Amino acid sequence: MTVRVVLVDDHHMFRTGVRTELLEAAPGFIDFVGEAANVEDAVSVIRREEPDVVLLDVHLPGGTGHGGVDVIHGCLGVETAAGAPVRFLALSVSDAAEDVIAVIRAGARGYVTKTISATDLASAIRRVADGDAVFSPRLAGFVLDAFGVAAGEIAEVDEELDRLSAREREVMRLIARGYQYKEVAKELFISVKTVETHVSSVLRKLQLSSRHELTAWAMGRRLI
Amino acid sequence: MTVRVVLVDDHHMFRTGVRTELLEAAPGFIDFVGEAANVEDAVSVIRREEPDVVLLDVHLPGGTGHGGVDVIHGCLGVETAAGAPVRFLALSVSDAAEDVIAVIRAGARGYVTKTISATDLASAIRRVADGDAVFSPRLAGFVLDAFGVAAGEIAEVDEELDRLSAREREVMRLIARGYQYKEVAKELFISVKTVETHVSSVLRKLQLSSRHELTAWAMGRRLI
DNA sequence: CGTGCCATGAGGGTCGCCCCTGAGGACCCC
DNA sequence: GGGGTCCTCAGGGGCGACCCTCATGGCACG
């Protein structure tokens, strides 16, 4: 039985490469029913085609800048004709923990890097379509760490981030980018004093002591 | 007359995409005589095949970590059977000025991003083989700025950096990394007041107005 | 209906950042 | 020996960053 696949990547030639190699490596197994090069197109194609599996690049133009995460969020609840949920398999050049965690939290069922061979990719697609989760060997370790019982450092990061309120995260992002308090105040239409309060809370909650450490913290987690 | 091409990219599927699309878009025009996925293989394939054009990803595993630049440096003086130099055409996801400048300085004859269409890429290869230089429209501007008579901002970067004294550069590096004046003073065994003087000089010479801009400036030039 | 969290904002204080002026000693070049 | 540049340092002032306490109103949870 064939697997209906939508392919999302902003590089046309990479899409051709994936298509060509998969059709050669596993003839008749995959039915490519759509492609997209940005977040908006991806969401509409997926909603229209209701594929079994979406092959998805993590870094995409469009949306709020979170690429693959935005696509998945935009397709919550979409089901195939058979009633199974649409499965997402992330296909990325990045093996950064933050990217992996983000897209898995968003709901992807697997994550493989673009160095994968065509035959391995074909079997990964088959397994994801069947409901399995698939990860490149190098990634499997810390994915288990992050979601397992003994939560490692990656999981703790998000716990810390979760302790911040929405407004605090908003202020934090601007401060980490080098905005002055005055500029943040103008941007968010609040007073400088309120900005100071939020910044103090953020620094206290994250156990940091200056905006420079905050910048380093945010950069280390690819939040900016 | 066909153009002999070597294709260097660390993603197997992207290579397939390029091959497939170019053979479709311009049948009989290109003769793919070799491929490589890392710096070492690329150099040996190019030396063996002596192609007319090398299509080259900027970011590659192997070598000293400078990817495409290492490949070009490793192939200095290699000529085709006809006696023409081997031409390099960079093909990259990055449109960062630093990447472009670095690979052009190393000797590449062109730089196009991976969003290019197959027909445009085919004509770019033709022109590079003929000795022309080819750049994506978005990149052409600052490449000309950087290498032209009226040196633009990229060329000035080094001039600006040269205007700093050795001590000033030293202080700048620490400040840009987020060190406080006190910490810089302790690190360099000088007084806080001296640090202030140096920082003022640096900011004035670089026409910046705060340590945050300095951080951004230094990061943009990969100095930290 | 109290309790708590959140967003907002104020007053007041310490300290860091950045600027200006000024100055002495070391070194180099003509 | 007199510019020129660099490194060193000081005083003083304006303003931003960060802290503390305190106060208000909204909203949710029990």
Side-chain angles (χ1 to χ4, degrees), chain A:
Chain A
M1 146 138 188
T2 66
V3 181
R4 289 164 47 82
V5 171
V6 162
L7 179 54
V8 182
D9 191 296
D10 55 330
H11 293 116
H12 185 239
M13 288 199 231
F14 187 79
R15 296 202 304 273
T16 300
V18 171
R19 253 189 291 111
T20 307
E21 295 220 342
L22 282 179
L23 293 177
E24 273 178 18
F29 162 56
I30 289 172
D31 184 11
F32 284 99
V33 297
E35 294 194 359
N38 60 57
V39 172
E40 290 73 16
D41 292 352
V43 172
S44 75
V45 168
I46 293 165
R47 288 187 167 279
R48 188 179 68 234
E49 295 295 337
E50 298 177 342
D52 299 308
V53 175
V54 177
L55 272 180
L56 184 66
D57 190 4
V58 173
H59 299 287
L60 282 181
T64 64
H66 296 89
V69 173
D70 288 340
V71 174
I72 298 176
H73 283 160
C75 297
L76 281 180
V78 178
E79 294 190 348
T80 64
V86 173
R87 323 276 195 187
F88 293 87
L89 176 56
L91 182 62
S92 173
V93 290
S94 160
D95 60 357
E98 295 77 18
D99 289 337
V100 181
I101 299 299
V103 75
I104 297 300
R105 272 188 196 275
R109 301 295 297 228
Y111 193 112
V112 295
T113 55
K114 286 185 176 177
T115 54
I116 194 172
S117 72
T119 52
D120 287 349
L121 180 56
S123 77
I125 291 173
R126 157 63 70 198
R127 288 171 56 191
V128 168
D130 289 345
D132 287 353
V134 180
F135 296 92
S136 296
R138 291 177 44 205
L139 305 178
F142 69 69
V143 169
L144 293 179
D145 283 349
F147 294 95
V149 182
E153 138 185 16
I154 309 270
E156 284 176 22
V157 165
D158 283 342
E159 279 177 25
E160 285 182 339
L161 192 56
D162 284 348
R163 290 221 300 273
L164 300 183
S165 69
R167 198 58 159 174
E168 285 165 352
R169 271 196 290 273
E170 208 167 353
V171 172
M172 180 209 67
R173 238 192 51 246
L174 297 176
I175 291 295
R177 287 185 174 198
Y179 279 54
Q180 292 189 327
Y181 287 14
K182 252 199 286 187
E183 295 170 336
V184 175
K186 192 180 297 179
E187 180 82 16
L188 300 181
F189 303 104
I190 56 181
S191 85
V192 171
K193 274 302 188 182
T194 305
V195 175
E196 289 187 20
T197 304
H198 288 315
V199 171
S200 287
S201 303
V202 170
L203 294 180
R204 184 170 32 78
K205 287 182 180 177
L206 300 182
Q207 295 180 296
L208 303 174
S209 64
S210 78
R211 54 180 307 148
H212 308 301
E213 293 179 16
L214 183 59
T215 301
W217 186 89
M219 288 206 308
R221 279 149 196 79
R222 306 217 192 285
L223 298 178
I224 55 173

